[in-house]
Amino acid sequence: MDDPMLLKPGLYRRAGSSARPDHPALLGGACACGYVFFPLQRYGCERCGGLDLEPRVLTGAGRLLAAARVHLHAGKGREAPFTVGSIKLDDGPIVRTLIEGDESQLRPGASMVTILAAVTDAEGEERFDLRFAPEG
Ligand SMILES: [Zn+2]
């Protein structure tokens, strides 16, 4: 079931949701109380503490809350500059993510969608990892 070409197949899938079939879906969860979260976890609901949690496919689209260009990065494995941002998904959760695409479109409230970007994993194999980009 897992797509071997995806870097983190537990977090997203190539196929979109029914609402946005053209953009990779995120693999989140939902509680019986209605709270929707990402990523999927089994420790308990952050809102009610309940354990009645189920997988929920989340649409790969949302609105940009904030973005920042990183010019100096002390960590290994990622070459600066790159852009990070917070996006409020249409399904509710807020995700922190790498952002690609036209910087001039990165205004708060901008419509953002998921894309798959080619990356090289720790073994030197080509994989795809999830990013967000401005829509259109
Ligand atoms: Zn709950």
Side-chain angles (χ1 to χ4, degrees), residues 35-105:
Y35 184 72
V36 178
F37 51 91
F38 175 84
L40 179 61
Q41 50 85 9
R42 303 286 187 181
Y43 303 109
C45 176
E46 290 171 55
R47 186 163 79 184
C48 76
L51 293 171
D52 192 0
L53 309 176
E54 292 200 329
R56 170 78 59 91
V57 172
L58 306 180
T59 294
R63 298 274 166 188
L64 185 67
L65 298 177
R69 187 82 167 153
V70 177
H71 293 279
L72 280 175
H73 183 53
K76 290 191 172 122
R78 189 172 306 290
E79 199 85 357
F82 55 89
T83 302
V84 296
S86 296
I87 291 167
K88 182 168 175 55
L89 299 177
D90 288 351
D91 290 302
I94 293 170
V95 297
R96 292 197 61 205
T97 179
L98 288 165
I99 291 175
E100 297 202 346
D102 184 355
E103 295 252 320
S104 69
Q105 295 187 48

